[in-house]
Each structure stands twice: as structure tokens, then as C-alpha cells.
């Protein structure tokens, strides 16, 4: 399944970057955004993760995010998340860039994590920017949490379509991608910018590009290796082989 070249590269590389998307959490039971699972109460999940959805129907928007946040309380990281923790421990310079807001990489024990699209447990006030954890709210009457400082509307601290990413996170992610020797793109449809450009930045600077996905994506043709299958199966195998050849 893995080429000799990949194993050799990983054994001799000083810097590795991994970019993850919703697919890595799918085996934990977290729904992905696109495809047949990307639906919630007849809403298209892609359409709910927008500033328009927040502005036009705050109650539904919060209901959707509360549902996802509560779902995560009972959800555990899977073998794919844990294999990335092992990979981080093998390598001297390892950066995990995630588009996921589910906190599962940190729950598994990953340390150097860049959260490109925020974190679903964090919230901020749209008026005064006050920040806090969602769990710190009492259950609100109209389903929309209010700011304890100014009574403005709170919203989840996640990056919605058309919003800019935290510049510090994005710069770190771009720098790590531009200087790594091996880049993995795992469980992402490779459609959403600017995350989707990171593998190309890496490859353009000479990195060996590996994709792990259950399906082909627009990135597959550019990848040096496109491994078709579940990340929860492929990643533990990769770690086992690396361990044997160390
Ligand atoms: C498995 C598996 C298993 C399943 N194992 N694999 C340039 C060109 C065109 C448009 C733009 C552009 N630059 C910016 C844009 C606009 C927009 C964009 O990219 N649009 C495109 C869709 C056309 N980007 C933005 O708006 C971004 N902002 C920005 O760039 O600001 C500046 C700017 C704005 C406007 C114009 C120009 C510049 C912000 C993007 C924010 C994305 N936010 C969301 C919601 C986050 C909060 C939340 O979670 O609710 O992020 S949308 C959603 O998509 C979420 C995800 O992180 C993101 C990516 O999805 P992901 O992770 O890839 O999931 P899926 O479901 O798509 O794929 C899962 C994959 O897993 C599939 O491939 C499966 O096969 C696979 N899989 N099981 C392995 N077991
Ligand atoms: Zn406020």
C-alpha cells in the first residue's frame, strides 16, 4: 500500500505537515459537510455554515451548532487521530493543520495543532468581541446566547464562508507548508480555500505530497501518492510500518 519512497522520506524527513478535514472524524461518528451525510434536519450543512444563516435565522443557526457541540460530548477520537499523535512523537518537526472545529485532535493528544476554522466550543460577542466557552452559558430563553458584558448576540468562534481566517494561524500554516518535506492531506474534499491551496504550496516547494481519502478529490491527480481508504485504517498501518523500520 505504501511506497518505499514514502517510508524512506518519512524516516529521513525532519519536517512533516498534515492537513485534516471532516473525513478524519467520520469514523468517530462526526458527520462530514458534503456528500450524502452532509444534511441536518433537511438543511444543507454547507448553507448553515454561512454568515447569512447566522444573520437571517439565529435560532436555527444556534440549534445546529448546539446539536453538533452536544454530539461531540459523547464522541471519542478514532484510530486515525491517535495514529497522528504517534506520528508527532516519531518526528522532530510536525505540524497538524486542521479544518475541523471538533477538538478531537487535541482530545487524542496532538500538541502542535493549528485550527484554521476555529473551535466549536468557543464563542464571541458580535458587538464587543467578548470571548468565552459555550459551556459557560445558562440555557437561554430564545435559544440565542447573549453576551454577559453587553447583552449583544454571541456566535460560535468558527470561520464561516466569506469570512477571513485568523491571519496568524493562516501564516503559520502557509509557512509550515512551504518548508515541509512531506505533506499529507487527509479526509478533506480539497474544495474550500485557502486550506485547499496548502498542499500545492507544499508541492511547489518540493514536498512529497500524500493524500488519504475514501474518494478521489481534485487534489488526487497532483498527489505523489493518493491512498484510497479510511484514514482510521491507513494511518495506524503507516505508523506500524514506520515503527518497524526505525
Ligand atoms: C474520508 C473518510 C474517512 C470521509 N477517511 N476520508 C478562491 C476561489 C474560489 C472561492 C474562494 C477562494 N478563496 C476563498 C473563497 C471562498 C470560500 C471557498 O473556498 N469557496 C469554495 C467552496 C468555492 N472560502 C472562504 O470563504 C474562506 N474565507 C476566505 O478565504 O476569506 C477570504 C476571501 C473570501 C471571499 C473571497 C475570497 C477571499 C473561509 C472558509 C471557511 C469554511 N468554513 C467551514 C465551516 C466551519 C465551521 C463549522 O464547522 O461549522 O469549514 S465550511 C466547511 O468546509 C468547514 C470545513 O472545515 C470545510 C472543508 O470541508 P472538509 O473538511 O473538506 O469536509 P468535506 O465534507 O467537504 O469532505 C470530507 C472528505 O472526507 C471527503 O472528501 C470524503 O471523501 C472524505 N472522507 N470519510 C478518509 N473515513
Ligand atoms: Zn458583548
Amino acid at each position: 500500500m505504501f511506497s518505499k519512497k514514502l517510508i524512506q522520506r518519512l524516516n529521513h524527513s525532519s519536517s512533516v505537515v498534515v492537513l485534516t478535514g471532516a473525513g478524519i472524524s467520520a469514523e468517530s461518528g462526526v458527520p462530514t459537510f458534503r456528500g450524502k451525510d452532509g444534511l441536518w434536519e433537511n438543511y444543507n450543512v454547507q448553507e448553515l455554515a454561512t454568515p447569512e444563516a447566522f444573520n437571517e435565522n439565529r435560532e436555527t443557526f444556534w440549534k445546529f451548532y448546539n446539536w453538533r457541540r452536544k454530539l461531540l460530548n459523547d464522541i471519542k477520537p478514532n484510530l486515525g487521530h491517535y495514529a497522528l499523535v504517534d506520528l508527532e512523537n516519531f518526528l522532530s518537526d510536525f505540524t497538524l493543520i486542521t479544518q475541523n472545529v471538533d477538538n478531537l485532535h487535541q482530545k487524542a493528544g496532538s500538541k502542535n495543532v493549528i485550527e484554521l476554522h476555529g473551535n466549536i466550543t468557543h464563542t464571541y460577542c458580535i458587538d464587543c468581541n467578548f470571548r468565552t466557552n459555550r459551556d459557560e452559558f445558562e440555557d437561554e430563553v430564545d435559544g440565542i446566547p447573549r453576551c454577559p458584558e453587553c447583552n449583544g448576540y454571541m456566535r460560535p468562534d468558527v470561520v464561516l464562508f466569506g469570512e477571513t481566517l485568523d491571519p496568524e494561524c493562516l501564516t503559520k500554516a502557509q509557512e509550515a507548508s512551504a518548508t515541509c518535506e512531506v505533506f499529507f492531506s487527509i479526509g478533506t474534499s480539497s474544495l474550500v480555500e485557502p486550506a485547499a491551496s496548502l498542499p500545492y504550496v507544499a508541492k511547489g516547494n518540493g514536498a512529497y505530497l500524500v493524500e488519504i481519502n475514501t474518494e478521489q478529490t481534485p487534489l488526487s491527480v497532483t498527489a505523489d501518492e493518493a491512498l484510497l481508504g479510511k484514514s482510521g485504517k491507513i494511518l495506524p498501518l503507516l505508523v506500524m510500518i514506520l515503527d518497524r523500520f526505525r
Side-chain angles (χ1 to χ4, degrees), residues 20-25 33 81 97-106 114-120 186-187:
T20 62
I24 196 159
S25 298
F33 286 89
H81 295 105
I97 305 167
T98 188
Q99 298 167 82
N100 301 343
V101 299
D102 59 22
N103 223 29
L104 287 178
H105 286 303
Q106 293 90 333
I114 300 173
E115 290 180 314
L116 275 188
H117 295 163
N119 187 308
I120 200 165
I186 304 173

Side-chain angles (χ1 to χ4, degrees), residues 20-24 26-27 32-35 46 49 64-65 68 99-101 117 120 158-165 186-194 212-217 229-232:
T20 62
I24 196 159
E27 288 158 82
T32 58
F33 286 89
R34 292 161 191 87
Q46 242 179 293
F64 170 62
Y65 277 91
R68 284 175 61 202
Q99 298 167 82
N100 301 343
V101 299
H117 295 163
I120 200 165
V158 296
V159 185
L160 304 171
F161 275 117
E163 295 182 330
T164 49
L165 282 66
I186 304 173
T188 171
S189 52
S190 296
L191 294 171
V192 176
E193 295 292 352
I212 301 177
N213 200 304
T214 46
E215 290 172 10
Q216 299 273 328
T217 76
K230 293 185 173 179
S231 46

